[in-house]
Amino acid sequence: MIRSMFEAFKNLFKPVHTVNYPATELVLPKGYRGLIEYDKEACIFCDKCEKVCPPGAILFYQPLEGEKEYRYNPWLCIYCGECVRACPKPQEALWQSETKQQSALKEDGANEGWFVWEAACKQSREDFKAAKIKNKSEESV
Amino acid sequence: MKKTIQIPLGSQHISLLEPIRFKFECENEKIIGVDADVGFVHRGVELACTRSFEFKQVGYVVARVCGLCAITHSLSYTLAVEKLLGYVANDRIKYLRMLMVELDRIHSHMLCLAHTAENAGFEALFMQIMADRELVMDLQEAISGNRVQFDFIAIGGVNRDLTPELSALIHKNLELLSDKIDTLLGLFDNNWSLSLKYKGVGVLTLDQAYTYNALGPLARAAGLATDVRVETSDFPYEALGYTMVLESTGDIHARNFVRLREILNSIAMCRNIVDNLPSGEIQEKTKGKPSGEAVVRVEAPRGELFYLVRGNGQNMLERVRIKTPTFSAIPAMMEVFKGSEYADAPAILASFDPCMSCTAK
Amino acid sequence: MRKIETTLPTLLADIGTFYEARKWHFLSVNGIDLGEGKIELQWIFSRYGIKDEIVIYYALSDYTTPVPSVVSLIPSAFMGEREIVDMFGLTVEGALRGLYLDEDSLPHPLRGES
């Protein structure tokens, strides 16, 4: 009992344990799992990352002509790194950085904007498929 | 005329961090009847596992059942699926998985001890234990790359390897921690004001433990020698210096002591794991799709975690049954409340270490 | 893992002769939807102190048949029984709905057709 009172008194003169965040930056450990980054030049558009992503934070928009467009939602991502492991060209096309994502603001449209985009991607796939079938049938005719 | 008075505890209460509601039927200060409502945070994880996610993704979904024991959830699910796929992990994978589970146990037990101290009115001790707990949290962050959601275990292995720098860090932090645990042992044993709140309060007898199927530290504090770590052969615990911690009195003090001594045991095991880490691949490719039924039990910090997974050879699973430790501990918990004073209820509740997001899943 | 088949009418007798509180740890009651209105009910036990010994009593049933309650034999089974009542919309003697679900929730989330 007396010892614990002595300890409590000693604690008064000890430095604080907490960090004065956000005035002082937090020190992230080496190998922190941060944002997923993407390089369009190296990507081969195999869609493997989209398929394995547990929350569905990576989507590809399929325009009727030309290359697919990559879209990533950093606020939906769980930073598990499954996409990087599935990627046939890891560290070139897709890699995990050590930067931490800032919180989303309303302008970022982390939810509503993404729902619109999700629907658009789905629609684009269907449109593309329909166009393909149409092209094929025209060719065969 | 009615002689009893009903006092609720929760669902929002100053001493509770979890959304649980008890309705106590009290006779003066004594509790004679208990009714519990546990389903405030039901999210339908079991349904989502079978309808919305493929079996390779479910491991990341079940980790979100609970923040504190995320690693045990993903471990039990992964083990179950690996059993269905007929895959046996090599020793290095097993050791790395064990290392994370034991680190998880250390920090979860420390959280529980901190809360028991807080609910007994010892706020300073709460702060002290939570500060010491950062040592383990830092380790987990360094190993897995994230502080709470580790996402460390995947089907067919683990996602990250242990580097020599990490091993040195683990040794350094565990050394610091074991000294602090030794001081805590003395404090919990000798502090007079803590003993008033702990000794002889909230007793679960051995008979009650058997009848109400108590589990984990709760059962071991009552003298029931059960631990999933010795009742399953998935991991080589005996080879790494596991000893079962048993107490006999079954009160809050005994439960605290089981937790403190288990932390020491876990620290010793972590050191053994890091020193004797076998070589090998950390991730291997698994083939096929799960078909059949597998059951897995893993000792989570709060007791036994049970998974039943049934697949039919397709990407979607048929059933994922999650039975969490607190879910099974609630009957015993309600029994312990009966006959104790209302003022002791928060401390008793904290000593059970309830995890409601596990229970309601 | 050992699986033993039983039927709902003989369930209480079977578990009564099998279960000893000092020997067996009762894990939980579980239900698995088999489709077409069928359900497999499981009562899961594990042995104290012996490696990998799990016994599962299972019975095939449909959603309309009432399930007998094992609370008289195993007092801690009420949680599991309330859970299957919620999740599958079964009727179990003495178990109320509403452990997890509210009035406006899905009636029985884990049933096949829901």
Side-chain angles (χ1 to χ4, degrees):
Chain A
M1 187 78 199
I2 289 165
R3 199 186 310 136
S4 59
M5 281 177 78
F6 179 64
E7 279 285 324
F9 188 72
K10 244 181 25 189
N11 279 341
L12 286 177
F13 303 101
K14 275 189 188 159
V16 289
H17 270 289
T18 46
V19 181
N20 192 15
Y21 183 79
T24 347
E25 275 293 303
L26 287 179
V27 187
L28 295 175
K30 203 171 148 273
Y32 177 82
R33 296 205 321 262
L35 286 172
I36 306 291
E37 286 178 17
Y38 170 76
D39 184 10
K40 199 182 168 191
E41 299 303 311
C43 183
I44 58 168
F45 302 103
C46 63
D47 289 5
K48 272 188 183 162
C49 48
E50 184 185 350
K51 274 183 206 119
V52 295
C53 183
I58 294 177
L59 286 178
F60 281 98
Y61 183 81
Q62 174 81 65
L64 286 178
E65 270 159 36
E67 278 180 340
K68 287 180 196 169
E69 194 188 324
Y70 167 89
R71 188 68 81 88
Y72 167 63
N73 185 347
W75 299 286
L76 188 63
C77 181
I78 59 170
Y79 311 107
C80 60
E82 237 356 71
C83 47
V84 179
R85 283 188 287 279
C87 187
K89 287 167 87 179
Q91 312 310 331
E92 286 176 53
L94 205 64
W95 68 95
Q96 190 152 27
S97 68
E98 292 184 16
T99 37
K100 196 176 174 182
Q101 176 58 36
Q102 298 301 315
S103 311
L105 300 173
K106 201 181 174 189
E107 291 83 50
D108 295 325
N111 287 334
E112 291 80 5
W114 184 255
F115 293 149
V116 172
W117 179 252
E118 229 173 3
C121 282
K122 216 175 171 187
Q123 188 61 42
S124 76
R125 289 283 166 90
E126 278 167 16
D127 289 351
F128 184 74
K129 224 184 240 170
K132 216 173 165 184
I133 291 168
K134 207 176 150 198
N135 280 352
K136 247 188 196 160
S137 58
E138 272 171 16
E139 269 172 27
S140 59
V141 170
Chain B
M1 203 177 80
K2 208 176 162 200
K3 285 271 178 63
T4 58
I5 177 167
Q6 270 195 354
I7 309 179
L9 178 79
S11 56
Q12 304 277 324
H13 190 273
I14 193 117
S15 72
L16 291 177
L17 288 158
E18 306 270 352
I20 180 171
R21 184 178 66 212
F22 288 103
K23 256 189 251 156
F24 294 127
E25 194 80 31
C26 295
E27 209 168 42
N28 284 339
E29 285 284 298
K30 214 168 242 353
I31 298 166
I32 53 166
V34 193
D35 188 20
D37 186 353
V38 296
F40 288 97
V41 277
H42 179 61
R43 288 147 291 158
V45 173
E46 286 181 356
L47 184 68
C49 288
T50 50
R51 301 279 166 83
S52 318
F53 296 94
E54 292 175 6
F55 80 95
K56 279 188 179 159
Q57 302 172 334
V58 171
Y60 297 103
V61 180
V62 291
R64 267 85 190 155
V65 168
C66 172
L68 270 173
C69 31
I71 199 88
T72 41
H73 276 279
S74 53
L75 173 66
S76 349
Y77 172 76
T78 311
L79 280 178
V81 170
E82 282 176 357
K83 275 185 186 175
L84 293 182
L85 296 175
Y87 167 81
V88 181
N90 66 27
D91 276 353
R92 190 179 179 88
I93 295 175
K94 277 187 187 170
Y95 272 51
L96 285 173
R97 286 175 176 179
M98 271 165 82
L99 174 70
M100 280 306 272
V101 172
E102 291 308 312
L103 286 177
D104 198 63
R105 189 182 321 282
I106 296 172
H107 92 83
S108 173
H109 277 357
M110 288 186 81
L111 181 93
C112 171
L113 290 166
H115 281 313
T116 343
E118 187 197 19
N119 284 356
F122 204 154
E123 199 87 10
L125 187 59
F126 167 76
M127 290 297 179
Q128 194 191 325
I129 301 178
M130 290 302 261
D132 296 344
R133 180 171 166 260
E134 285 303 306
L135 288 170
V136 192
M137 300 290 280
D138 286 348
L139 279 184
Q140 288 185 314
E141 189 175 8
I143 295 173
S144 72
N146 206 330
R147 225 176 102 91
V148 176
Q149 288 297 349
F150 310 115
D151 294 336
F152 182 68
I153 294 171
I155 295 168
V158 292
N159 290 340
R160 279 156 166 257
D161 205 356
L162 209 62
T163 56
E165 299 97 72
L166 278 177
S167 311
L169 183 71
I170 292 173
H171 273 300
K172 191 182 127 220
N173 277 11
L174 290 183
E175 188 66 51
L176 282 172
L177 187 73
S178 74
D179 290 344
K180 301 203 174 196
I181 299 294
D182 282 336
T183 2
L184 280 183
L185 269 166
L187 195 62
F188 272 93
D189 205 17
N190 300 325
N191 190 296
W192 180 67
S193 57
L194 281 181
S195 75
L196 280 181
K197 277 279 190 185
Y198 290 162
K199 285 185 184 161
V201 174
V203 178
L204 180 80
T205 60
L206 184 56
D207 276 335
Q208 279 175 337
Y210 275 118
T211 319
Y212 292 95
N213 289 300
L215 71 180
L218 176 64
R220 290 194 285 279
L224 203 171
T226 173
D227 192 323
V228 180
R229 283 176 283 179
V230 292
E231 287 170 8
T232 54
S233 48
D234 294 325
F235 291 108
Y237 272 109
E238 280 95 343
L240 287 163
Y242 168 79
T243 47
M244 192 183 281
V245 180
L246 279 180
E247 294 275 335
S248 56
T249 45
D251 53 0
I252 302 179
H253 180 73
R255 291 199 272 280
N256 286 340
F257 253 67
V258 166
R259 293 210 170 91
L260 280 166
R261 285 166 55 202
E262 270 187 12
I263 291 176
L264 287 178
N265 188 217
S266 291
I267 291 176
M269 279 199 279
C270 285
R271 284 178 177 154
N272 282 342
I273 291 170
V274 175
D275 288 340
N276 305 317
L277 199 63
S279 57
E281 287 285 312
I282 59 155
Q283 195 151 31
E284 289 159 1
K285 279 261 179 288
T286 52
K287 281 200 191 105
K289 299 202 171 132
S291 68
E293 191 175 282
V295 291
V296 163
R297 295 161 76 210
V298 165
E299 179 83 4
R302 293 171 179 77
E304 160 202 62
L305 179 64
F306 169 81
Y307 266 69
L308 184 143
V309 175
R310 182 185 272 192
N312 50 0
Q314 280 167 8
N315 264 335
M316 293 288 185
L317 292 166
E318 246 179 23
R319 177 88 167 103
V320 179
R321 163 79 171 141
I322 309 168
K323 201 273 313 175
T324 52
T326 316
F327 182 82
S328 307
I330 281 171
M333 199 189 286
M334 285 163 77
E335 210 49 36
V336 168
F337 277 127
K338 284 176 195 161
S340 54
E341 304 263 308
Y342 177 76
D344 293 333
I348 296 175
L349 183 60
S351 79
F352 276 92
D353 203 3
C355 174
M356 284 308 125
S357 44
C358 267
T359 313
K361 47 189 187 287
Chain C
M1 186 176 81
R2 208 144 48 89
K3 283 189 94 170
I4 303 169
E5 184 163 10
T6 176
T7 54
L8 289 186
T10 58
L11 175 78
L12 279 177
D14 279 357
I15 289 184
T17 48
F18 163 79
Y19 180 73
E20 285 170 52
R22 298 228 160 207
K23 217 163 142 187
W24 294 97
H25 175 76
F26 174 71
L27 277 157
S28 189
V29 190
N30 180 28
I32 299 178
D33 182 85
L34 299 176
E36 294 159 1
K38 297 272 178 222
I39 182 173
E40 178 180 333
L41 290 160
Q42 301 178 329
W43 289 263
I44 308 161
F45 300 87
S46 72
R47 183 80 180 268
Y48 288 122
I50 291 183
K51 273 196 194 292
D52 295 328
E53 189 157 342
I54 292 176
V55 173
I56 299 179
Y57 272 86
Y58 73 101
L60 302 175
S61 173
D62 53 36
Y63 287 109
T64 47
T65 322
V67 180
S69 166
V70 292
V71 171
S72 56
L73 302 167
I74 310 159
S76 65
F78 71 92
M79 287 291 286
E81 287 178 356
R82 286 191 68 180
E83 192 184 0
I84 58 165
V85 167
D86 262 16
M87 290 305 177
F88 293 98
L90 292 163
T91 36
V92 181
E93 188 190 331
L96 294 172
R97 190 172 184 270
L99 179 70
Y100 295 153
L101 301 184
D102 296 323
E103 277 84 30
D104 54 350
S105 310
L106 289 176
H108 31 63
L110 288 185
R111 253 194 219 182
E113 71 273 20
S114 69

